Amino acid sequence: MCGTTRNTGLVVRSGYLLAMATGLITCSEGGRLSGQPPTTPAPVSDVAPTESWPRDGEFTDSQGRTILYRLHARSDWNINEPRGVVVRFHGNSEGTQEAMLYRYSSHAETSLRLGLAFAVVSSPEANATNWAATGGKSSPHFPNLTQRGFGTRFWRDEDRRLVHELLQSGFNDSPVIDYDKVLFWGGSAGTVFLHRFIEQYAGVYGGGFYAWCGSPTQGRRRWYRPPPRVTDDWVPTFPWGPESTAPVRERFRVFVQITTGDFVYDTGAPLAHYYGDVLGLDTRADLDAPGGHCQPGRTPTHEVLAWLLGDSHDQASVPAGQDSDTDRDGIPNLIDDDDDNDGAWDVVDALPLDPRDWRDTDGDGIGDFADQDADGDGIENHEDRFPLNASEWKDTDGDGIGDNLDRDDDNDGLPDSGDSQPSEGVTGEVVSFSMFRDGGSLANVRALVHTGKPADFVYPEARGDRQAYQFLRLGNATNSTYQIMIDRTTRRRRCRALLFPQLCEDPPSSFAYFEHYVDQIYVDRNQNGDLTDDGPPLLLARNREDPHTVPSTRAIVEVSYSSGHRLPYAVRFWTSERLDDGVRYSATSGWSGLVRPPAGDPVLVGVVDVNSDGVFEPIHTRDFACVDTNRNAHLEECAPVDGRYPRPIGRDGSFELDGQARRLVVAPSGHIIEIRSGR
């Protein structure tokens, strides 16, 4: 079966189907972008039921990340007719990616009876082993020690973009999705992930969120989250606000379920209040049924899904680009800084009238979310080592420098011009960038403060009562300075222009953040001296109810090194009453992975930039590295003892592995590590 070419401009790659798949769609007709009316369906009688379900597949996004999915539909459905879908997200669970796909198949029939396709998605990441099984002795600083098919699967912030692109691809074009009828169903950590996903993409999808047995945060601590429109690592986040939320209210519902005996009850129950009373979405809850973690509530699943689907979700969404006020926020496009309300200002938005994306790397008019060759170099994203760089696609030595630019492709110390085997002889192991959220135990240092407002840089228009102009230095390249502007609002009456009224209440509650101030933090991420083109500011506010939790927010910047590398580095910021003292910041990332010694099997190694200067010097400074010398697939060697980090490796880099004397060599960038013989 093959229909006419899909007319929406989406470019999709047929996913690689696992051996168990029994069918493949090679061509389909129609399709609908978010905010466009459905195509006219072909009569069902004209569509031969040639499809076989369920179907397993995989999808690679524009960032090179890959997700597996299992899609359930009925063979007698017309796949060219836009159809709603339930997407199920697992919690932290042990097993392979493939195993995750079979855990919720029993829920498929409920969705199919409602006329909805049913999809299970599996996270790309897994811990090397189950940290909980070791009594928590493994280091929390290296969650990204991954091997596909091994360990405890978990969701990462980067997966938000991946899931978005998967949905926009229509699960590799089968079937066509009705984007006003997408029901997101999360369990446990899946709910945590979806809470952030919906914060970013609520303006794109109509449908609903089934928050089952989860919370806005992971763990047992008191419920706390930053206010809406937090942008931890800059990606446009749907700009929640008193006016901009109105279109979401018309087409998105939330159902919260959590049982009374669930250990996350105290942190999960406020979800209903948050979505219903603060954001004003149509929200229902089932919070009274007894039971433990992720036990069924009193409301049957089919009733939850049917209510989320609701008649109100059949309303047509706002057509993008059809009006002088595209996002219908009451501000005409002519004077609106963000016409499509996707959080990316028009000045940096390549698709200013399309709320689904802000990025079009190759300028072909197809957003990266749909373009399977995002940089237009002829190499599809899943095969491209640099999917957003048209001049690079291969990196032989994995050092982060593409072969076209790299003068030593195999990193053996010999320039390619004089190397008879320029693709052989790699001497260092390239490890993975690893995020960790708790940077409080590392050194937090203060940014440097300018005297007055510098005239050399371009700053955004100040809207608050006070401003501070600061900078910090990271890395060891010539250009290591990042300019910062903090715009502080201290007057309560002005709080309501930034946040929902409930967040500005007095006396404060778990939802009130304005006790002292609201800070907007602008960071010159691209180091071009212009702080107006780096996306929305980070947002921080203080709450009297958080006496022991100092609010913080995180940004990921790219740091330059004298070696020519430019690599990601995560920084967490804190502000205090004394604005002119300099904002405090700390590293919240490291590098970790398997490194091959001169003899024997590869061993797990990690490095941490304790002094938060962007340079990894574990041998000579407070920074440290650790090696899994007992080969138990954990890095408990990196865990702090009595609040102090150990120094498991000598100051000269020496240590013992498998009864042999070894020496560790770490590049200043942290991402290349070598184990050598001797001391």
Side-chain angles (χ1 to χ4, degrees), residues 365-587:
I366 303 173
D368 288 357
F369 72 95
D371 195 341
Q372 288 304 304
D373 179 13
D375 57 11
D377 61 3
I379 309 297
E380 291 196 346
N381 300 329
H382 68 287
E383 297 177 345
D384 194 335
R385 176 65 178 80
F386 304 90
L388 301 181
N389 183 349
S391 63
E392 298 286 359
W393 50 86
K394 187 178 181 181
D395 181 12
T396 298
D397 54 11
D399 64 353
I401 304 176
D403 286 357
N404 292 333
L405 179 64
D406 199 340
R407 297 180 180 178
D408 181 7
D409 287 351
D410 58 8
N411 207 20
D412 63 357
L414 295 175
D416 295 337
S417 58
D419 193 341
S420 60
Q421 295 180 306
S423 298
E424 304 293 337
V426 177
T427 59
E429 296 285 354
V430 176
V431 293
S432 300
F433 178 70
S434 298
M435 295 297 305
F436 49 86
R437 293 193 174 274
D438 180 15
S441 54
L442 303 182
N444 62 81
V445 294
R446 292 188 183 276
L448 301 172
V449 181
H450 289 294
T451 301
K453 181 180 179 180
D456 300 335
F457 309 110
V458 179
Y459 293 101
E461 178 185 357
R463 300 183 178 182
D465 310 305
R466 295 181 58 201
Q467 292 76 43
Y469 304 94
Q470 307 176 5
F471 63 99
L472 54 89
R473 293 192 175 101
L474 297 170
N476 61 3
T478 303
N479 184 17
S480 63
T481 303
Y482 295 80
Q483 301 297 326
I484 297 172
M485 169 181 163
I486 303 176
D487 192 8
R488 171 165 293 181
T489 297
T490 58
R491 299 175 185 174
R492 186 177 300 277
R493 63 183 174 83
R494 300 188 66 174
C495 172
R496 294 169 182 261
L498 300 174
L499 307 175
F500 284 98
Q502 293 89 339
L503 302 177
C504 303
E505 292 174 350
D506 189 16
S509 66
S510 295
F511 296 96
Y513 293 88
F514 190 74
E515 168 63 17
H516 303 295
Y517 53 77
V518 175
D519 285 338
Q520 297 182 85
I521 305 174
Y522 297 84
V523 181
D524 186 16
R525 300 168 189 260
N526 57 16
Q527 297 178 284
N528 68 345
D530 185 347
L531 282 73
T532 67
D533 62 357
D534 299 277
L538 305 172
L539 189 64
L540 275 180
R542 293 299 304 272
N543 182 352
R544 188 187 314 166
E545 295 294 306
D546 294 313
H548 304 298
T549 304
V550 178
S552 62
T553 187
R554 189 189 70 206
I556 296 180
V557 298
E558 289 191 343
V559 175
S560 297
Y561 295 92
S562 58
S563 60
H565 296 94
R566 189 169 174 83
L567 301 170
Y569 185 88
V571 181
R572 186 164 294 280
F573 292 99
W574 295 265
T575 56
S576 63
E577 290 282 357
R578 297 176 61 87
L579 186 58
D580 295 331
D581 283 351
V583 62
R584 287 188 174 273
Y585 64 93
S586 177

Side-chain angles (χ1 to χ4, degrees), residues 627-639:
V627 180
D628 178 26
T629 53
N630 59 8
R631 292 189 176 276
N632 67 348
H634 296 278
L635 280 176
E636 68 267 20
E637 293 86 355
C638 269

Side-chain angles (χ1 to χ4, degrees), residues 202-203 238 243-252 318 327-329 341:
F238 183 78
E243 296 178 354
S244 61
T245 307
V248 180
R249 292 171 180 163
E250 297 174 359
R251 54 198 291 263
F252 200 84
V318 179
D327 52 16
R328 297 195 176 182
D329 61 356
N341 217 6

Side-chain angles (χ1 to χ4, degrees), residues 110-123:
T110 301
S111 299
L112 299 179
R113 285 200 301 269
L114 292 171
L116 301 169
F118 182 81
V120 182
V121 290
S122 179
S123 63

Side-chain angles (χ1 to χ4, degrees), residues 127-321:
N127 289 317
T129 60
N130 184 352
W131 181 24
T134 69
K137 294 180 180 179
S138 181
S139 170
H141 293 308
F142 300 104
N144 188 25
L145 308 178
T146 61
Q147 298 180 42
R148 177 166 165 173
F150 181 60
T152 302
R153 308 218 74 79
F154 63 95
W155 295 98
R156 295 179 59 184
D157 287 344
E158 294 89 334
D159 296 332
R160 287 177 289 178
R161 175 87 190 186
L162 174 59
V163 169
H164 173 57
E165 293 190 17
L166 170 68
L167 289 171
Q168 290 296 323
S169 80
F171 292 92
N172 287 313
D173 221 11
S174 59
V176 175
I177 293 177
D178 182 344
Y179 292 107
D180 278 325
K181 296 181 179 179
V182 180
L183 306 184
F184 300 94
W185 181 355
S188 192
T191 292
V192 178
F193 170 76
L194 282 173
H195 179 64
R196 297 303 300 274
F197 176 88
I198 289 166
E199 181 179 78
Q200 182 173 341
Y201 291 110
V204 177
Y205 298 101
F209 174 26
Y210 182 13
W212 178 56
C213 71
S215 68
T217 59
Q218 195 71 293
R220 299 173 181 266
R221 62 190 176 92
R222 187 189 64 75
W223 186 81
Y224 169 81
R225 61 154 288 106
R229 200 177 177 188
V230 160
T231 52
D232 272 355
D233 340 329
W234 177 55
V235 289
T237 300
F238 183 78
W240 295 105
E243 296 178 354
S244 61
T245 307
V248 180
R249 292 171 180 163
E250 297 174 359
R251 54 198 291 263
F252 200 84
R253 289 177 171 177
V254 176
F255 191 99
V256 179
Q257 178 202 288
I258 189 168
T259 49
T260 57
D262 197 330
F263 70 88
V264 297
Y265 183 87
D266 290 341
T267 59
L271 269 178
H273 176 52
Y274 177 73
Y275 284 110
D277 298 333
V278 177
L279 300 186
L281 304 183
D282 193 355
T283 303
R284 293 185 181 179
D286 178 0
L287 308 174
D288 300 323
H293 189 48
C294 293
Q295 294 302 304
R298 289 193 176 95
T299 309
T301 298
H302 71 274
E303 291 185 15
V304 174
L305 298 181
W307 178 78
L308 289 174
L309 190 60
D311 294 337
S312 65
H313 301 280
D314 291 330
Q315 302 176 17
S317 56
V318 179

